[in-house]
Amino acid sequence: MSDNSEMFDGVLLGLAEKHPGGVPDLLKTIAEFLGRKTDFFTGAGEDVWKKMLLSIFEEAAKKSVAEHKEKMAKRAEAERKRKEEQAKKAKLESDQSGVTELTEEEAEALQKEIDAKKNPTSVESTSNEPKKKKVAPVKSAPGEELSKPIEATGDAEDDKEVGKLMPNSGNGANMEKYSWTQTLSEVELRVPFNVNFTVRSKDVVVEFTKKHAKVGLKGHPLIIDGDLCAEIKHADMLWLLEKNSVVITFEKINQMNWWDRLVTTDAPLSTRKINPEPSKLSDLDGETRGMVEKMMYDQRQKEMGLPTSDDQKKQEVMKKFMEQHPEMDFSKCKFN
């Protein structure tokens, strides 16, 4: 595979966006082009072009799988280190405060001892039936303020966003039962469980498909059960438990647009109020970055009812033409 293959990413991304059927439609277009404009299929035997295609795709697949495994390994290692740091920090805080965290079993035993001292005549039940864990209503994580609707300010442009939610610091939203943040390429979802027991991985339900999400605790109503705002790479989804919260990270398939909600039943947030981090765009190659910046600019212009970059170029060309031909009457012309 050519070392400079990435130089065509911008062109191919633009081409892919024009195929609503996705990869199959794109491959069909390429195959039909080769059939019409080249002798790819007729210049040699059938075995030759089939062998060539298989060889090219096998090489690309091998490279892609290796890069994917490396990426997943790095992400898993980063999450492991983060959990270790959090555990060390929690232990340090516990040591400094002189408070020892008890396990669920230790807490139960201590409570029985306290109850026995208060009421020595009480008889403890001998039933072997396991106690059910009580689940309290789920609320947003402590310290997180719910995203609020934008109010009227008197500014004509801002007032178009009235009623939409103000994005949080991570360009997502803090909902009643969960919060989420996003970049152009990824989404991080945090779902807290406000329960009186330590949540373990076996207690958690995390099921994602390309367009649907289910998150909650086994044996209890799901916290999230709905269609996502857009399609995701569900095979690459990762999740971990963090202080009785599940943190889920996944990649978007369309990495050119901001999400205005997590699931389709959520209230929309204002994508106009999103402040993308320049560092995220700087990670892209020059051509792709230029395309992303252009799309973001055009999206903002459309939301404000203003001309896009292409419309502006047309207007400039028309203005120059009119200046060069003052003898012509353009008063009855309509420009789109």
Side-chain angles (χ1 to χ4, degrees):
M1 188 177 292
S2 174
D3 291 337
N4 63 347
S5 58
E6 291 184 2
M7 67 182 292
F8 302 109
D9 283 357
V11 175
L12 292 173
L13 278 171
L15 185 61
E17 286 181 346
K18 295 180 180 179
H19 289 76
V23 174
D25 279 4
L26 177 61
L27 292 176
K28 184 179 178 182
T29 296
I30 294 173
E32 290 177 348
F33 165 76
L34 292 174
R36 291 194 313 270
K37 301 297 183 180
T38 72
D39 63 349
F40 180 76
F41 297 109
T42 59
E46 183 176 341
D47 292 341
V48 175
W49 65 260
K50 282 187 176 180
K51 186 176 180 181
M52 183 186 299
L53 276 180
L54 186 60
S55 174
I56 291 172
F57 274 81
E58 281 182 343
E59 183 182 350
K62 184 178 180 181
K63 180 180 178 182
S64 179
V65 169
E67 289 176 349
H68 174 73
K69 287 182 177 179
E70 183 181 358
K71 181 179 179 181
M72 291 299 102
K74 287 181 179 179
R75 184 180 293 181
E77 178 64 15
E79 293 293 350
R80 185 187 67 78
K81 288 182 178 179
R82 188 173 73 167
K83 289 179 69 175
E84 283 184 357
E85 289 298 322
Q86 289 175 340
K88 289 179 182 177
K89 183 179 179 182
K91 187 176 184 304
L92 179 61
E93 290 175 352
S94 177
D95 292 343
Q96 289 176 343
S97 64
V99 177
T100 303
E101 184 176 350
L102 300 179
T103 65
E104 186 180 352
E105 292 77 11
E106 290 171 337
E108 266 189 46
L110 180 60
Q111 187 61 49
K112 287 178 181 178
E113 185 180 340
I114 294 172
D115 292 341
K117 289 180 179 179
K118 287 182 178 179
N119 187 11
T121 60
S122 65
V123 179
E124 187 176 337
S125 171
T126 57
S127 171
N128 293 324
E129 183 180 349
K131 294 182 179 179
K132 291 184 178 179
K133 298 175 178 179
K134 296 180 180 179
V135 179
V138 180
K139 300 179 181 179
S140 295
E144 287 190 355
E145 185 178 348
L146 294 180
S147 295
K148 297 179 180 178
I150 297 172
E151 299 178 352
T153 62
D155 184 285
E157 296 302 328
D158 284 345
D159 285 352
K160 292 179 181 179
E161 304 298 293
V162 170
K164 294 182 180 180
L165 299 180
M166 175 66 73
N168 59 22
S169 58
N171 295 326
N174 299 332
M175 311 303 290
E176 183 180 356
K177 297 182 179 180
Y178 54 85
S179 62
W180 61 280
T181 60
Q182 65 172 323
T183 64
L184 275 171
S185 59
E186 288 188 340
V187 173
E188 182 179 285
L189 167 64
R190 181 179 294 270
V191 183
F193 302 117
N194 185 22
V195 293
N196 62 350
F197 60 90
T198 301
V199 177
R200 298 177 175 83
S201 57
K202 64 181 181 180
D203 302 321
V204 181
V205 176
V206 177
E207 297 177 9
F208 277 71
T209 64
K210 198 173 185 179
K211 194 72 196 304
H212 197 88
K214 291 183 179 181
V215 183
L217 290 176
K218 291 179 181 177
H220 303 281
L222 292 171
I223 297 172
I224 298 175
D225 184 7
D227 289 336
L228 294 164
C229 173
E231 295 181 346
I232 67 167
K233 300 179 181 179
H234 63 285
D236 297 342
M237 182 267 295
L238 291 175
W239 67 273
L240 59 91
L241 280 173
E242 188 177 284
K243 293 185 179 179
N244 267 25
S245 295
V246 62
V247 182
I248 306 165
T249 307
F250 50 85
E251 286 189 61
K252 304 174 183 177
I253 287 182
N254 181 350
Q255 302 186 355
M256 297 292 183
N257 293 327
W258 296 104
W259 284 16
D260 68 344
R261 67 195 78 194
L262 181 74
V263 291
T264 54
T265 52
D266 282 347
L269 61 84
S270 172
T271 54
R272 277 190 60 201
K273 300 294 184 179
I274 284 177
N275 294 312
E277 297 179 32
S279 59
K280 300 299 181 183
L281 292 178
S282 65
D283 294 339
L284 303 174
D285 63 85
E287 189 171 1
T288 306
R289 176 179 176 176
M291 178 180 292
V292 171
E293 289 176 335
K294 177 180 180 295
M295 293 181 69
M296 291 170 61
Y297 174 80
D298 288 346
Q299 182 178 342
R300 287 194 296 268
Q301 291 292 99
K302 287 180 180 178
E303 289 174 347
M304 294 187 290
L306 300 175
T308 64
S309 55
D310 291 335
D311 294 335
Q312 291 172 351
K313 287 180 181 178
K314 292 177 184 177
Q315 292 173 0
E316 290 175 3
V317 170
M318 198 63 218
K319 182 179 179 182
K320 289 181 180 179
F321 182 80
M322 293 170 66
E323 290 174 351
Q324 293 171 357
H325 299 276
E327 74 281 0
M328 297 179 67
D329 182 13
F330 295 94
S331 59
K332 296 181 181 181
C333 294
K334 293 183 179 180
F335 304 111
N336 295 325

